[in-house]
Amino acid sequence: QVQLVESGGGLVQAGGSLRLSCAASGADFSTMGMGWYRQAPGKQRELVATINSRAFTNYADSVKSRFTISRDNTKNTVYLQMNSLKPEDTAVYYCKAFLGPGYWGQGTQVTVSS
């Protein structure tokens, strides 16, 4: 059983930055692929970025060049650095572990004001 705890969300003005963190426990973090997803009100949950166990990354087109996903295996933590935030980035952001059936965190709210 994998537990994921996100943190770092909040309210920021357009053009600002936030860094989300997701701390994992319950499995060998270094072998897990990890991802960040988001869900805006009235919309489906969408993929934001992924990072595999070798630190290869993938991004949604909407966040390329603005967001950076990274991992620290010594801290069992995956990060999402979000720069040049836009109001359309407003959503609940979820961390996911790609292990077995997949595990989700509880989500953290990001609100970008115009």
Side-chain angles (χ1 to χ4, degrees):
Q1 186 81 4
V2 177
Q3 293 82 42
L4 302 171
V5 179
E6 299 104 333
S7 61
L11 173 64
V12 64
Q13 288 187 331
S17 298
L18 282 174
R19 188 176 81 155
L20 305 183
S21 301
C22 173
S25 61
D28 185 352
F29 179 79
S30 65
T31 66
M32 293 192 293
M34 301 293 296
W36 285 98
Y37 290 70
R38 66 187 181 187
Q39 188 166 18
K43 295 187 177 181
Q44 289 190 331
R45 192 172 297 189
E46 63 175 2
L47 175 69
V48 175
T50 62
I51 184 166
N52 70 8
S53 59
R54 292 176 291 174
F56 290 113
T57 59
N58 183 55
Y59 296 91
D61 288 343
S62 59
V63 307
K64 279 181 182 176
S65 79
R66 299 189 299 122
F67 290 10
T68 302
I69 188 170
S70 62
R71 64 190 298 155
D72 185 341
N73 290 342
T74 66
K75 296 181 179 180
N76 290 352
T77 300
V78 62
Y79 303 97
L80 186 68
Q81 177 67 43
M82 305 185 293
N83 298 328
S84 302
L85 282 161
K86 305 175 181 180
E88 51 264 44
D89 295 318
T90 295
V92 177
Y93 283 71
Y94 297 91
C95 174
K96 181 177 182 179
F98 297 108
L99 181 70
Y103 297 89
W104 293 92
Q106 82 287 355
T108 185
Q109 176 70 46
V110 172
T111 303
V112 184
S113 63
S114 57

